[in-house]
Amino acid sequence: MVKKLIIQKFGGSSVANVKRVQNVARRVVRYKKKGFNLVVVVSALGDTTDELIELANQININPSEREMDMLLSTGEQISVALLAMAIHKLGVEAISFTGAQVGIITDAAHTRARIIKINTDKIQEALNKGKVVIVAGFQGVNLNQDITTLGRGGSDLTAVALAKELKADECEIYTDVKGIYTTDPRVEPLAKKIKAITYDEMLEMASLGAQVMQARSIEVAKKFNVPIHVRSSFKQDSGTMIIKEVKKMEEVVVSAITLNKGEAKITVCNVPDRPGIAAKIFNELADNEVSVDMIVQNVSHLRQTDISFTVSKNDAQKAIKTINRAKVAVGVKDVLEDSDIARISIVGVGMKSHPGVAGKMFEVLARNKINIEMISTSDISISCIVQKKFAEMAVRALHSKFGLSK
Ligand code: ADP
Ligand code: ASP
Ligand code: MG
């Protein structure tokens, strides 16, 4: 009989210390003894990646992206080796590999590389020898043999891509919560675990800040129809299935609330109100690889206007420098930054067919005296930028108003 293959990914919090690495090893061995073939993907221990970034910034605030990838990939190399040792200690054969060793080939976009192909020979060979295969998440190698990383949270992507490439029977993402909740359970303890969620809703949630899954990993899962099971590494209960379609008698209007504190708002003041100015500003930003999210242009007065937009906090300084460089050409006077903002979003496929959702959202914020600074919408979400100090209160109020609380 052909053995079933399971991909199991363990996030940083699941391997934050020796005890937790041993806990993961015990779970892996239990599955191995049940007769499964296992490929285990691991993230760096606890907050290692953040600590490495901090270390780099102490030396150079603007480090080379190639060297950054060299540095960050070491985090995962530590955890795979330790997990292999912990599994050996339990008397089971296991072998660890870096992304480069197992042939995860990416493009050359350091710190956010895309996977081009995966050569599975080495993994297959080790599986055939009966070994548990442990792969370092979040990393690959480009055609120049340089190590690359796949963007923050990229171990999720490693797991999903391996599940697709190895035609795995299951892809399990183990984390420090019991699954996908109606909102971050650390912000709202009344949040409910969702049994099953569609790729589209999960992708929207991930893109809007629900850190629990990396958005790019969901894009790949959706494209190749890889079902994902998100569950706790500390409990045995089943978690949340992320799948193509969830059959419900009637669509709930709002299925989740998300919170993102990772953005900054940049305001370009007193821009001349004439054709071509916005194009100039945003082309300059694009040429400098700053991705812009929400954009709002204020009502013009005296043929001048303010344009505000949001960027990832990491890109805020780059955005400001870029606009300052183009200041004279564009005719801009001042550029302001506000990092004390948060994006609150409501997500739900049911929104498409239910009017009045936006009004209800704004009313909840108004009742709590929370000012909305920017608004944006998609087919299945509405987002508001508010001051950061109100973020948690807004999430809890919306969670309750849209009937999501336990
Ligand atoms: P890992 O280290 O396993 O990759 P992450 O920290 O990346 O874990 O993601 C898990 C965290 O995501 C949880 O601890 C939780 O606080 C947060 N989170 C945010 N939104 C949600 C949500 N809707 N459902 C579950 N967890 C969420
Ligand atoms: N260690 C990497 C990060 O912190 C990748 C991951 O955890 O998925 O972003
Ligand atoms: Mg993660």
Side-chain angles (χ1 to χ4, degrees):
M1 204 182 76
V2 185
K3 283 186 177 175
K4 275 195 166 178
L5 171 65
I6 309 185
I7 311 291
Q8 298 187 324
K9 178 254 167 178
F10 294 89
S13 47
S14 306
V15 289
N17 52 43
V18 168
K19 279 216 155 59
R20 291 192 181 181
V21 173
Q22 289 166 330
N23 170 55
V24 168
R26 279 194 297 275
R27 183 181 291 261
V28 169
V29 165
R30 208 163 51 240
Y31 274 81
K32 180 70 185 157
K33 291 197 168 155
K34 281 189 198 165
F36 295 108
N37 272 331
L38 288 171
V39 174
V40 180
V41 176
V42 206
S43 295
L45 308 190
D47 295 327
T48 303
T49 309
D50 289 329
E51 288 158 14
L52 291 172
I53 293 173
E54 171 57 33
L55 201 58
N57 287 341
Q58 282 181 35
I59 291 184
N60 187 338
I61 196 70
N62 193 14
S64 135
E65 290 188 328
R66 179 191 180 278
E67 301 311 327
M68 212 52 197
D69 279 352
M70 277 299 265
L71 179 69
L72 297 191
S73 63
T74 62
E76 270 70 10
Q77 199 170 332
I78 294 173
S79 48
V80 285
L82 290 176
L83 181 59
M85 292 173 195
I87 294 175
H88 294 164
K89 192 92 188 187
L90 298 175
V92 169
E93 282 201 82
I95 181 163
S96 68
F97 294 115
T98 64
Q101 280 178 311
V102 290
I104 299 180
I105 311 295
T106 73
D107 64 15
H110 282 291
T111 74
R112 53 187 174 283
R114 295 197 171 262
I115 298 176
I116 302 170
K117 64 171 184 196
I118 303 180
N119 182 348
T120 55
D121 293 354
K122 210 164 172 122
I123 297 180
Q124 212 63 63
E125 198 184 307
L127 287 175
N128 291 343
K129 288 187 185 150
K131 296 184 181 176
V132 171
V133 175
I134 307 169
V135 179
F138 173 58
Q139 56 180 263
V141 65
N142 69 18
L143 295 169
N144 218 13
Q145 303 299 312
D146 288 323
I147 293 175
T148 52
T149 62
L150 310 174
R152 296 304 306 268
S155 302
D156 295 335
L157 178 58
T158 306
V160 173
L162 283 173
K164 186 259 163 191
E165 217 46 46
L166 293 162
K167 302 190 179 60
D169 297 282
E170 280 176 51
C171 178
E172 298 183 320
I173 304 288
Y174 286 92
T175 183
D176 59 352
V177 287
K178 284 201 236 163
I180 310 296
Y181 282 70
T182 46
T183 193
D184 188 338
R186 291 181 206 290
V187 173
E188 173 51 285
L190 294 175
K192 282 185 294 200
K193 191 175 85 183
I194 302 170
K195 263 201 173 130
I197 186 165
T198 61
Y199 294 125
D200 288 330
E201 277 180 311
M202 190 64 234
L203 183 55
E204 196 78 2
M205 282 174 71
S207 315
L208 292 171
Q211 179 198 350
V212 57
M213 286 297 299
Q214 190 212 31
R216 281 175 55 195
S217 71
I218 305 297
E219 276 170 1
V220 173
K222 181 183 172 187
K223 194 191 285 173
F224 299 104
N225 204 8
V226 179
I228 299 174
H229 184 183
V230 181
R231 56 192 304 198
S232 165
S233 53
F234 309 114
K235 302 257 164 43
Q236 302 304 322
D237 331 17
S238 59
T240 303
M241 289 305 301
I242 309 175
I243 45 181
K244 191 169 160 200
E245 200 184 356
V246 179
K247 289 208 169 66
K248 288 188 206 130
M249 186 67 86
E250 288 238 55
E251 238 16 287
V252 284
V253 183
V254 171
S255 36
I257 316 285
T258 64
L259 164 60
N260 182 359
K261 290 185 180 170
E263 289 177 302
K265 183 173 87 169
I266 311 280
T267 303
V268 191
C269 306
N270 304 109
V271 184
D273 190 13
R274 57 180 149 79
I277 297 295
K280 179 107 186 91
I281 293 175
F282 291 101
N283 281 336
E284 285 286 342
L285 290 168
D287 290 345
N288 285 279
E289 296 198 26
V290 176
S291 6
V292 171
D293 207 342
M294 280 188 193
I295 303 175
V296 171
Q297 175 167 336
N298 288 349
V299 178
S300 165
H301 50 93
L302 303 173
R303 313 218 55 175
Q304 290 199 325
T305 182
D306 292 347
I307 297 180
S308 296
F309 57 89
T310 61
V311 291
S312 147
K313 273 198 178 125
N314 302 332
D315 279 345
Q317 286 316 310
K318 193 149 79 164
I320 291 172
K321 273 193 199 134
T322 303
I323 295 173
N324 275 333
R325 270 200 305 272
K327 229 171 173 175
V328 181
V330 182
V332 171
K333 296 221 176 69
D334 289 308
V335 187
L336 308 175
E337 178 195 353
D338 184 355
S339 294
D340 290 325
I341 57 154
R343 177 200 287 248
I344 314 292
S345 314
I346 58 177
V347 178
V349 280
M351 247 181 242
K352 289 184 195 172
S353 52
H354 286 78
V357 186
K360 196 163 157 186
M361 179 181 193
F362 304 155
E363 197 184 300
V364 171
L365 297 177
R367 251 201 232 127
N368 285 278
K369 304 202 165 27
I370 301 172
N371 189 41
I372 302 172
E373 300 189 10
M374 294 166 107
I375 299 168
S376 80
T377 63
S378 82
D379 242 18
I380 61 167
S381 71
I382 304 170
S383 300
C384 293
I385 296 287
V386 301
Q387 279 300 300
K388 195 162 80 183
K389 61 180 181 226
F390 298 127
E392 282 80 8
M393 179 165 93
V395 168
R396 287 192 284 264
L398 290 164
H399 193 266
S400 155
K401 184 70 185 176
F402 284 102
L404 299 175
S405 296
K406 274 183 208 158

